[in-house]
């Protein structure tokens, strides 16, 4: 299962590069009014498919086991959907006086507003041995909050209830479907960019954004670690692992369709989307690199707790 997940992620990363490259070579195919008719296939069909697929893949029955840990859930949701975007906004007030492309900065703000992903945060938490139930709950619940204004999601939970047995028996390839549709959205988005001669992205801004994104991820991971390991925090080492990943990861699968809806027809949509496209692989790479270190810390802390626990 881990091998299949790794292959799918690597395939998707390559797919992003290919989609952007294809858009650069022949942007006329995916522009509005072009052969792909993205104003219909992407704006309606692809976006609806992403949300529909995401809703069906959420195993809502697994979330009930983690409902009782309210303090943990509150910490993660407040950090993700309040502290994170507010801090990014304050930080961007300082960056606004620099020469960094303003649309990339706007894109960085949209990253801060995104819900957590259902997949990567859970996978990394499980790899470390952290509180997987809490990671599942907060990732799924955070994603739900991110699209709560979309009536389609309410329909999806109803649909899943009626076809639950079929889903568990057949195990449809939700990940492959979402990734494929997402690549189509990315491709058409960059087709619009490369077909517009008025858009120019300097390499300096791109490099700075990359550096800023990695710095933000590291800083917020450290911040959540410090907050959740205080003596009076009430969180276990396993809880801390879930907090670190769930509070700092952002969803590309739900984020790109949201941007496509909110900024529909905007000539700078691809530049606004770029920070999220960078943030997604960066969070997976950074998380994967830190897994051994975090796991070692968690195991040592758990052993320490067992040693200090009084015997009866």
């Amino acid at each position: 299962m881990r091998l299949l997940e790794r292959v799918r992620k690597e395939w998707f990363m390559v797919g992003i590069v290919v989609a952007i490259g294809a858009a650069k070579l022949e942007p006329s195919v995916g522009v509005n009014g072009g052969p792909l008719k993205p104003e219909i296939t992407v704006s309606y069909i692809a976006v609806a498919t992403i949300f529909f697929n995401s809703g069906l893949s959420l195993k809502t029955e697994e979330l009930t086991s983690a409902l009782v840990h309210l303090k943990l859930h509150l910490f993660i949701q407040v950090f993700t959907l309040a502290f994170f975007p507010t801090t990014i906004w304050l930080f961007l007030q300082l960056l606004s006086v620099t020469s960094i492309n303003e649309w990339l900065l706007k894109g960085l703000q949209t990253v801060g507003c995104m819900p957590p992903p259902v997949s990567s945060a859970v996978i990394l938490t499980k790899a470390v041995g952290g509180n997987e139930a809490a990671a599942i709950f907060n990732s799924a619940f955070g994603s739900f909050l991110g699209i709560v204004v979309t009536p389609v999601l309410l329909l999806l939970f109803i649909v899943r209830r009626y076809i639950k047995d079929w889903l568990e028996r057949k195990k449809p390839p939700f990940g492959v479907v979402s990734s494929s549709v997402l690549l189509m959205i990315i491709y058409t988005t960059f087709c619009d960019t490369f077909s517009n001669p008025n858009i120019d992205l300097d390499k300096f801004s791109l490099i700075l954004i990359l550096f800023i994104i990695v710095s933000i991820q590291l800083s917020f991971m450290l911040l959540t670690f410090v907050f959740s390991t205080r003596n009076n925090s009430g969180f276990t080492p396993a809880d801390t692992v879930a907090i670190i990943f769930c509070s700092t990861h952002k969803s590309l699968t739900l984020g790109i369709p949201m941007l496509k809806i909110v900024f529909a027809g905007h000539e700078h949509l691809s530049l606004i989307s770029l920070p999220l496209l960078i943030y997604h692989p960066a969070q997976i790479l950074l998380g994967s690199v830190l897994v051994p270190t975090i796991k070692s810390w968690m195991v040592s802390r758990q052993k320490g707790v067992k040693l200090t626990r009084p015997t009866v």
Side-chain angles (χ1 to χ4, degrees):
M1 184 63 70
R2 289 183 179 178
L3 179 60
L4 289 176
E5 185 67 25
R6 183 176 179 181
V7 169
R8 187 180 72 80
K9 285 185 177 181
E10 291 179 351
W11 165 79
F12 181 64
M13 299 303 177
V14 173
I16 291 178
V17 176
V18 172
I20 296 175
K24 175 67 174 178
L25 292 174
E26 194 56 56
S28 61
V29 176
V31 297
N32 285 340
L36 283 182
K37 300 294 181 183
E39 62 273 17
I40 298 175
T41 58
V42 172
S43 298
Y44 296 100
I45 299 175
V47 171
T49 300
I50 287 286
F51 286 126
F52 187 80
N53 193 61
S54 297
L56 289 180
S57 62
L58 286 178
K59 296 184 179 180
T60 52
E61 63 274 9
E62 292 184 1
L63 307 183
T64 55
S65 63
L67 281 173
V68 293
H69 207 158
L70 296 179
K71 184 178 180 180
L72 172 63
H73 307 325
L74 183 62
F75 179 96
I76 292 176
Q77 296 305 323
V78 170
F79 191 96
T80 303
L81 299 174
F83 180 83
F84 200 123
T86 302
T87 304
I88 293 296
W89 180 80
L90 292 173
F91 183 50
L92 291 181
Q93 303 311 301
L94 299 176
L95 293 180
S96 62
V97 299
T98 67
S99 59
I100 300 176
N101 187 289
E102 62 172 314
W103 297 107
L104 286 179
L105 293 180
K106 291 182 185 297
L108 201 56
Q109 181 64 74
T110 66
V111 170
C113 298
M114 290 300 157
V118 178
S119 57
S120 62
V122 175
I123 291 169
L124 290 170
T125 299
K126 185 175 182 179
V128 173
N131 192 333
E132 186 181 356
I136 292 173
F137 176 85
N138 283 282
S139 295
F141 185 62
S143 296
F144 170 77
L145 288 180
I147 53 178
V148 69
V149 293
T150 309
V152 176
L153 188 61
L154 297 176
L155 174 63
L156 297 180
F157 284 116
I158 297 173
V159 171
R160 181 179 174 85
R161 185 172 58 188
Y162 285 110
I163 62 174
K164 174 184 174 183
D165 292 338
W166 181 86
L167 289 173
E168 292 181 351
R169 186 173 64 255
K170 296 295 184 180
K171 299 187 183 303
F174 292 116
V176 174
V177 173
S178 292
S179 297
S180 300
V181 175
L182 200 56
L183 288 176
M184 179 183 177
I185 296 176
I186 294 171
Y187 168 69
T188 56
T189 297
F190 278 87
C191 280
D192 287 333
T193 298
F194 295 131
S195 64
N196 189 339
N198 297 321
I199 295 180
D200 182 33
L201 175 62
D202 60 289
K203 294 180 180 179
F204 174 73
S205 293
L206 191 58
I207 293 173
L208 274 183
I209 286 295
L210 176 60
F211 174 77
I212 290 170
I213 285 174
V214 174
S215 299
I216 287 173
Q217 289 186 15
L218 283 172
S219 299
F220 280 2
M221 290 179 80
L222 179 60
L223 196 60
T224 54
F225 176 80
V226 171
F227 282 160
S228 60
T229 53
R230 291 178 301 171
N231 292 331
N232 59 346
S233 68
F235 297 128
T236 66
D239 292 338
T240 295
V241 174
I243 287 172
I244 290 173
F245 291 124
C246 292
S247 299
T248 59
H249 280 212
K250 296 294 182 178
S251 175
L252 179 69
T253 305
L254 297 178
I256 290 297
M258 285 181 187
L259 293 180
K260 195 72 177 179
I261 294 172
V262 175
F263 297 98
H266 201 293
E267 65 174 356
H268 294 97
L269 174 59
S270 62
L271 296 185
I272 295 173
S273 305
L274 199 55
L276 183 57
L277 290 173
I278 296 174
Y279 195 99
H280 177 74
Q283 71 187 8
I284 295 174
L285 178 62
L286 190 60
S288 300
V289 169
L290 291 176
V291 160
T293 302
I294 297 176
K295 186 172 185 177
S296 176
W297 169 83
M298 189 192 73
V299 171
S300 64
R301 282 294 297 269
Q302 288 175 332
K303 287 181 178 179
V305 170
K306 290 180 181 178
L307 289 175
T308 56
R309 189 173 294 166
T311 56
V312 178

